[in-house]
Amino acid sequence: MTTINPVAPPATVQVNWEETIGTSRTTLTTHLWTAPPLRRESPIHDKAFDALRELRVDFARFLPWFSHPRVAVAELAPPTATETSWNFELLDPFVEDFVAASEGRPIVANFATIPTWMFVTPEPVAIAEDPDEIHWHYEQGSELRDPTCAEVADYFYRLASWYIAGGFTDELGRRRESGHRYRFAYWEVLCEPDIGHRLSPETYTKLYDAVVTRLAPLDPDMKFIGLSLSHVHHQPEYFWHFLDSANHADGVRIDAFSYHFYAQPEIANPFGPEGNAPSAHWRDIFFAQADAFLDQVRFIDSIRRRLAPDTATFINELGTYPADVMNPAPEIPDTYWALSASVQSYLWCKLVELGIDLVGIAEFMDYPGMIPGVSLLDWETGAPNARYHALALLLRHFAEGDALAATTTGVFPDPRIHAQAFVTATGRRKLLLVNKTDEPVTVAVPEVRGGADFEQVGADGHRTTLADNTAVLEAYATSVVSY
């Protein structure tokens, strides 16, 4: 008996180039945190910062992270009657290299970590001498020792003054000079306060107001971002409370608010013995979570439109996790990187359609023990991976101001691919195609006259010329047809 394997029919994309369904206002970018592999002493330092420079993104975000407090926290101990602990020796090189790689483009500062000694804790939090040692326990306490938030605001004022105003006067009246005169387009107040210190919406809003009030005079052009909520639980009350101007002090601006999303294989009803679905199921889980997140975005945007219609929405951390995110020796399938790239490309496209102001692909550098699956670079070689290449592909071809043309893949949308046509500001027609499966997909595209460029990032990304109306998408490919 002969077994016949059915051949899947090609996907068909139809575009009405004359029907505009929206105009992109979305900035696509990334963020970089103070990861040890990015130290100047690291063998991959130069290659990594060259890769950041080559992206040429606006509003790249700089994020010293609490996991490495000797780098991220500029005042590790409270001041005494005779001395203070201010120290920028480890932090300065990261800031300098990040600013240099931006080459004058607007950047976002998020010096996210409040010194833990400013919180009420049973005992002081111990910190290892090794600045590269990971401290997941550093953020402790949920009650500030100064409930007015003035102490925290003063800390961030001095830290910001170090980088914006050339220095500051410390708690003992001593002047400390930095020589820095940087400009930040935005200052984001904290990062994921809902899971670190578990600040309530009321406490966070009060702290945001205190920090903004102190920092605003340093640079009248600098704007501010609030919330920066984690992906773990988008509690509506954070948005209802923070976006309501009645809950803020007079004169405090809410220029933008932010939140994050990561798809992950850990699920409530696990397939595997340790809470992780096997990799064969990751594709289904990731895209299901992505679609659920898009519904959250629509709901959150309905709150914004009601309470703060002039406030921008930044989804400034977007990515995926493989299993065992903290494992120092993770087992990450080779196909994971292209899958992750397809998820981020799909979400970027849908978020453009929803009118989100900024999407940040997370994150530039990670490594085993520090959530390696969100890295855009190989932590051993510094070489860009499929996630980086997919981001770079989108940045090369699309920009704010592009018109979205009406695009369909059938009466019932073809679940294998996502397609969206754009007309650029120069009138160039382009078609984004994302393969959401682990198999090649043949796609019948709108008529090609005289050839079209076809570029894709997948398992074996390449650039070629389409001579007819057929494109073959590699597994999990992000692809662009340029007419």
Side-chain angles (χ1 to χ4, degrees), residues 267-341:
I267 55 177
N269 183 23
F271 292 95
E274 299 178 357
N276 294 312
S279 59
H281 295 277
W282 291 4
R283 175 263 174 198
D284 297 327
I285 294 169
F286 285 0
F287 279 104
Q289 290 178 356
D291 286 330
F293 171 65
L294 291 169
D295 283 338
Q296 286 184 310
V297 173
R298 295 181 182 96
F299 172 61
I300 293 166
D301 199 53
S302 71
I303 299 174
R304 180 198 64 83
R305 292 196 305 272
R306 172 175 290 193
L307 295 176
D310 296 327
T311 297
T313 302
F314 289 3
I315 300 176
N316 54 9
E317 290 188 28
L318 187 150
T320 65
Y321 293 164
D324 302 324
V325 294
M326 307 304 181
N327 190 337
E331 295 183 5
I332 303 177
D334 290 341
T335 56
Y336 165 80
W337 303 104
L339 166 60
S340 181

Side-chain angles (χ1 to χ4, degrees), residues 204-333:
Y204 176 81
T205 300
K206 183 178 180 180
L207 189 150
Y208 172 90
D209 287 2
V211 171
V212 170
T213 299
R214 284 291 275 138
L215 268 59
L218 286 172
D219 182 353
D221 295 326
M222 185 168 68
K223 297 180 180 181
F224 294 92
I225 307 167
L227 290 184
S228 192
L229 297 180
S230 77
H231 70 292
V232 176
H233 41 64
H234 290 146
Q235 295 182 13
E237 189 56 32
Y238 277 103
F239 303 103
W240 283 112
H241 188 87
F242 180 78
L243 293 176
D244 189 342
S245 60
N247 296 322
H248 290 270
D250 292 342
V252 172
R253 307 197 307 266
I254 314 172
D255 298 304
F257 73 106
S258 58
Y259 55 98
H260 309 153
F261 171 75
Y262 295 94
Q264 55 189 343
E266 290 86 353
I267 55 177
N269 183 23
F271 292 95
E274 299 178 357
N276 294 312
S279 59
H281 295 277
W282 291 4
R283 175 263 174 198
D284 297 327
I285 294 169
F286 285 0
F287 279 104
Q289 290 178 356
D291 286 330
F293 171 65
L294 291 169
D295 283 338
Q296 286 184 310
V297 173
R298 295 181 182 96
F299 172 61
I300 293 166
D301 199 53
S302 71
I303 299 174
R304 180 198 64 83
R305 292 196 305 272
R306 172 175 290 193
L307 295 176
D310 296 327
T311 297
T313 302
F314 289 3
I315 300 176
N316 54 9
E317 290 188 28
L318 187 150
T320 65
Y321 293 164
D324 302 324
V325 294
M326 307 304 181
N327 190 337
E331 295 183 5
I332 303 177

